[in-house]
Amino acid sequence: MAVVTGAGRGIGAAIAIGLAARGARVVIADMTPPDATVATIGGAAVGVAADISTPAGWAAIEHAATAAFGDVDIVVNNAAYYPNHPIDDLDFETWRRTMSVNLDAQYLSAKQFVPALRRRGWGRFVGISSNSIGLNVQGMSHYMASKMGIIGFMRGLANDVAADGITCNAILPGLTHTVATEAQGEEARRAVWQAQAIQRFAEPDEIVGPVLFLTSDDAAFMTAQAVVVDGGQYRVG
Ligand SMILES: NC(=O)c1ccc[n+]([C@@H]2O[C@H](COP(=O)([O-])OP(=O)(O)OC[C@H]3O[C@@H](n4cnc5c(N)ncnc54)[C@H](O)[C@@H]3O)[C@@H](O)[C@H]2O)c1
């Protein structure tokens, strides 16, 4: 069974639908009841309204999972907070909220589920980071710090749980066609696309395949990695 956060819409919804299509039962977590995603998947899904930046939110997710389906195998941390604030007007409250939603949630999910995954000797954590950490994107220092933090946490967590059959990886999507990016002007989008080998938006469905792979048995020897899915924009190595 899989938990996907922020799956009421966008990339998270696509991931939840993709996992269900592969045969997983899925817990769809979001701030408000994620009815649309649950309706799309049907009986293999249960929705839970939870703030994933709090321990209470993760307790509610585990409760919903156990009540509906049983044990969790896969945790995809996808929900994010991403307001644009150049450093001059980035207040501490915004910085803290960004860290809390984007990074604390990764830690809280591990504390919530690692003990049970360890007992069963199999588990998958996927943290959704962003390729923006390697790009000239302004007004996002808080977001970029949190998204780098996801990679660091996945690497460290991978070391701690490797002997228990649990893998931990990050995925770095590029600019993807969601509500979040709809607001961007055509000029800004084209500027991004010019730097990509594949010069267009990613559709949310195109982020799903790498998640399916990383959460499968086929990826059993792949852990602590940062996997870039951005049409060839951010090139490392
Ligand atoms: N869209 C892009 O271009 C893009 C690019 C790179 C990375 N990403 C990352 O992909 C992920 C999904 O992006 P998206 O564009 O689909 O975002 P989105 O804003 O469309 O969806 C995010 C969902 O997370 C939920 N959420 C936010 N805070 C929450 C909280 N505290 N508790 C529970 N749910 C919460 C929101 O309600 C929303 O439904 C994010 O981690 C984002 O940083 C997106």
Side-chain angles (χ1 to χ4, degrees), residues 5-13 29-32 50-54 77-82 97 101-102 128-132 143 147 150 171-181 201 204:
T5 70
R9 68 182 198 195
I11 294 170
D30 211 304
M31 287 291 274
T32 53
D51 181 347
I52 49 87
S53 68
T54 66
N77 270 293
N78 163 81
Y81 185 62
Y82 46 78
R97 182 70 185 154
V101 175
N102 299 2
I128 303 299
S129 176
S130 168
N131 82 335
S132 66
Y143 177 79
K147 292 293 185 179
I150 291 171
I171 288 182
L172 285 62
L175 195 64
T176 306
H177 192 188
T178 66
V179 173
T181 51
F201 260 144

Side-chain angles (χ1 to χ4, degrees), residues 202-218:
E203 292 301 325
D205 285 349
E206 293 178 298
I207 312 301
V208 177
V211 177
L212 295 182
F213 170 62
L214 289 173
T215 57
S216 71
D217 282 329
D218 290 340

Side-chain angles (χ1 to χ4, degrees), residues 82-87 132 135-144:
Y82 46 78
N84 188 292
H85 288 289
I87 190 64
S132 66
L135 304 176
N136 175 17
V137 179
Q138 293 177 17
M140 297 300 273
S141 61
H142 48 308
Y143 177 79
M144 290 162 77

Side-chain angles (χ1 to χ4, degrees), residues 88-108:
D88 307 288
D89 65 54
L90 176 63
D91 59 34
F92 189 54
E93 195 182 331
T94 304
W95 169 270
R96 281 297 334 141
R97 182 70 185 154
T98 308
M99 292 301 156
S100 183
V101 175
N102 299 2
L103 198 49
D104 291 359
Q106 313 276 332
Y107 159 83
L108 292 170

Side-chain angles (χ1 to χ4, degrees), residues 18-31:
L19 285 164
R22 190 179 66 185
R25 290 166 300 171
V26 190
V27 177
I28 316 288
D30 211 304
M31 287 291 274

